[in-house]
Amino acid sequence: MLTGFIYWLSEGFYSLIEFPKVEDMLLLALVFLIPLELFKHRLNYNLILKNRLLLFLFYCFLVSAIQANINFSQPLIFGIRASRIFFIYAVVFIYLSMSLTHISYKSIYRFVVFTSIFLIFINFFTYFSNNQSYLQNHVIDRFDDFRFLIGGTSIIYFYLFLLANTDRGKFPIIGLIGLMIVMVIIAKTRSLIFPLLLITTFTLLRINSVRRFTQVLMILFLVLIAFVFSNKVGNNILDLLQLLFDEFNSHDGNVAIRVVGLDYYWERLDFFSMIFGFGIDNKIYSDMYNPQYSLSDLGAFRVLYYHGIIGIVLFALTLYDLYRESSKGDLPLHKFGRYFVYFQFLSPTLTFVYHPEAMFIYIFTLLYIKFHNKKTICQIGY
């Protein structure tokens, strides 16, 4: 229950209410919860010390502050504040290393199902009611209407989680379709849709039962047809496809802007900052960049820019750790671990490192698989 609350906190309670800095609230909650966990459980030193993820987190936290001071004279205290999220991730790591050992897979599944239902409902309610007054962020005026996605990170990874659990019955399939429709019709975000469709296709091709494969395709086809014949939804899908074609023939679309932005930031790197990174800027120093080019749109390059070659190598090694551990079995959580890695590589314009909720999922998945692989693989998911 507490772990689920911490996750919702990392999501900022889906921006449905005005909320202070998520990172600071997350750290404050963990400062209170870790001593409570220490009364109930011991620290699992094997999970904590023998893990390259912690090395990556502390490297990013400390070296980023130092590099920002070297490259643009940002005071160290400002640099530490700008990179404090990595320290918070390390605290999350310690908390989860204690709490996850007593969390059953069934409770994880129920949490994902419950939250997925909520996200599908709130996104569709907002979409059809045309009431975005309570949305605090992530609203873009596009296609002559509002484009938004409440709980986008949760939707991505919960989709992959349900995809890994399609053998559990009909709800994972229904949940998959609901979440995908939210992304296609409401968010219209191609950088999410196409990688997820590729992973889904790969998974469907591996389904042994021809009957189940046909059922999944038929349900998806019928639901999509029903939505397409809705004027509002059908027009938005056509607009999304038209935008895709226009960008291939234009030099002003998202792809072109990202290419120019990549060149813009690349020119700032010298040999030393290429190795150790340029450093994360505090908001006070954010005006030194052209606002037209956002590092958040450049995916894994953002890791290279902020933390250098050493940072991107450590990042790749942590992903490899998850893939290696999840390759030791073929049960639902193992599959989800592999899908997590696939998505990162198939969606190069996105990276989970700077999103607390995504890092929470990543740390939890890595530790949970690693712990249960050592304990007894055959009990995962049952």
Side-chain angles (χ1 to χ4, degrees):
M1 186 68 178
L2 280 175
T3 303
F5 172 80
I6 292 297
Y7 177 74
W8 285 331
L9 180 60
S10 72
E11 268 278 18
F13 294 103
Y14 298 111
S15 302
L16 296 177
I17 56 175
E18 290 190 18
F19 204 68
K21 270 286 187 180
V22 169
E23 302 96 313
D24 298 332
M25 293 300 295
L26 187 58
L27 179 60
L28 183 63
L30 291 170
V31 165
F32 281 100
L33 288 176
I34 285 178
L36 294 176
E37 287 295 328
L38 284 171
F39 277 110
K40 297 185 293 183
H41 314 300
R42 291 182 178 181
L43 282 173
N44 192 325
Y45 291 101
N46 287 328
L47 278 179
I48 292 174
L49 298 178
K50 297 179 180 180
N51 201 304
R52 283 183 287 209
L53 178 56
L54 269 185
L55 176 62
F56 170 67
L57 297 178
F58 279 111
Y59 170 84
C60 293
F61 173 57
L62 296 173
V63 176
S64 175
I66 295 171
Q67 285 298 102
N69 178 262
I70 293 172
N71 287 309
F72 52 95
S73 303
Q74 177 173 265
L76 284 174
I77 189 65
F78 285 177
I80 288 173
R81 179 160 180 78
S83 62
R84 73 191 184 282
I85 188 62
F86 291 98
F87 175 77
I88 296 171
Y89 292 158
V91 178
V92 169
F93 184 101
I94 293 170
Y95 169 75
L96 289 177
S97 69
M98 293 185 289
S99 63
L100 63 77
T101 56
H102 297 274
I103 298 175
S104 69
Y105 189 84
K106 185 179 290 186
S107 65
I108 299 171
Y109 176 79
R110 288 174 177 171
F111 176 82
V112 172
V113 167
F114 171 80
T115 309
S116 297
I117 293 172
F118 169 76
L119 289 173
I120 293 170
F121 170 78
I122 194 66
N123 275 284
F124 276 124
F125 173 80
T126 304
Y127 178 75
F128 285 110
S129 66
N130 288 317
N131 177 21
Q132 294 91 17
S133 60
Y134 53 85
L135 292 177
Q136 304 300 318
N137 52 25
H138 303 304
V139 180
I140 302 174
D141 190 2
R142 197 171 188 183
F143 300 146
D144 295 325
D145 68 348
F146 281 101
R147 173 191 178 198
F148 63 91
L149 184 60
I150 302 171
T153 301
S154 292
I155 286 175
I156 294 168
Y157 295 111
F158 289 179
Y159 178 94
L160 294 175
F161 183 88
L162 293 175
L163 184 64
N165 284 271
T166 51
D167 291 337
R168 281 182 167 263
K170 293 183 179 179
F171 182 81
I173 298 173
I174 297 172
L176 283 173
I177 294 170
L179 293 174
M180 179 56 74
I181 290 174
V182 167
M183 286 183 279
V184 171
I185 294 173
I186 298 175
K188 314 175 187 79
T189 307
R190 290 154 297 154
S191 59
L192 303 183
I193 296 168
F194 296 144
L196 292 177
L197 285 177
L198 282 173
I199 296 171
T200 303
T201 302
F202 173 76
T203 303
L204 288 175
L205 292 175
R206 289 171 60 91
I207 293 178
N208 295 326
S209 170
V210 176
R211 181 182 176 184
R212 180 176 274 295
F213 177 82
T214 306
Q215 285 177 340
V216 174
L217 291 183
M218 285 300 297
I219 293 173
L220 182 60
F221 177 76
L222 292 174
V223 172
L224 284 176
I225 288 296
F227 273 94
V228 166
F229 277 101
S230 164
N231 288 333
K232 180 178 181 179
V233 174
N235 289 336
N236 283 346
I237 292 176
L238 292 175
D239 287 336
L240 177 62
L241 294 173
Q242 185 61 50
L243 178 65
L244 178 62
F245 292 128
D246 289 344
E247 284 204 355
F248 275 108
N249 299 315
S250 170
H251 298 289
D252 301 319
N254 287 342
V255 176
I257 290 294
R258 284 180 171 127
V259 171
V260 176
L262 184 65
D263 183 65
Y264 171 78
Y265 286 104
W266 183 266
E267 289 180 350
R268 287 177 167 267
L269 297 175
D270 56 25
F271 177 79
F272 193 72
S273 58
M274 179 72 74
I275 301 298
F276 297 101
F278 198 77
I280 300 177
D281 54 289
N282 191 282
K283 284 186 177 180
I284 298 174
Y285 290 82
S286 60
D287 59 352
M288 66 181 180
Y289 295 121
N290 186 333
Q292 184 179 4
Y293 309 120
S294 174
L295 269 171
S296 61
D297 291 333
L298 301 180
F301 177 78
R302 188 180 182 184
V303 180
L304 175 66
Y305 182 81
Y306 281 151
H307 313 295
I309 292 174
I310 294 176
I312 198 73
V313 168
L314 289 173
F315 173 62
L317 288 174
T318 63
L319 280 174
Y320 171 73
D321 286 342
L322 176 58
Y323 184 78
R324 181 187 60 192
E325 292 295 330
S326 62
S327 296
K328 294 179 180 179
D330 202 36
L331 293 167
L333 198 62
H334 291 104
K335 294 178 183 177
F336 172 67
R338 296 196 292 272
Y339 295 162
F340 191 108
V341 177
Y342 297 158
F343 180 80
Q344 179 59 62
F345 282 97
L346 290 172
S347 186
T349 60
L350 299 170
T351 181
F352 60 89
V353 174
Y354 303 97
H355 300 276
E357 65 277 22
M359 278 297 290
F360 186 100
I361 293 173
Y362 172 70
I363 294 170
F364 184 94
T365 304
L366 177 62
L367 291 177
Y368 198 84
I369 293 177
K370 198 166 187 178
F371 174 77
H372 283 277
N373 276 350
K374 290 181 178 178
K375 187 178 178 182
T376 166
I377 291 177
C378 64
Q379 289 184 0
I380 300 181
Y382 295 94

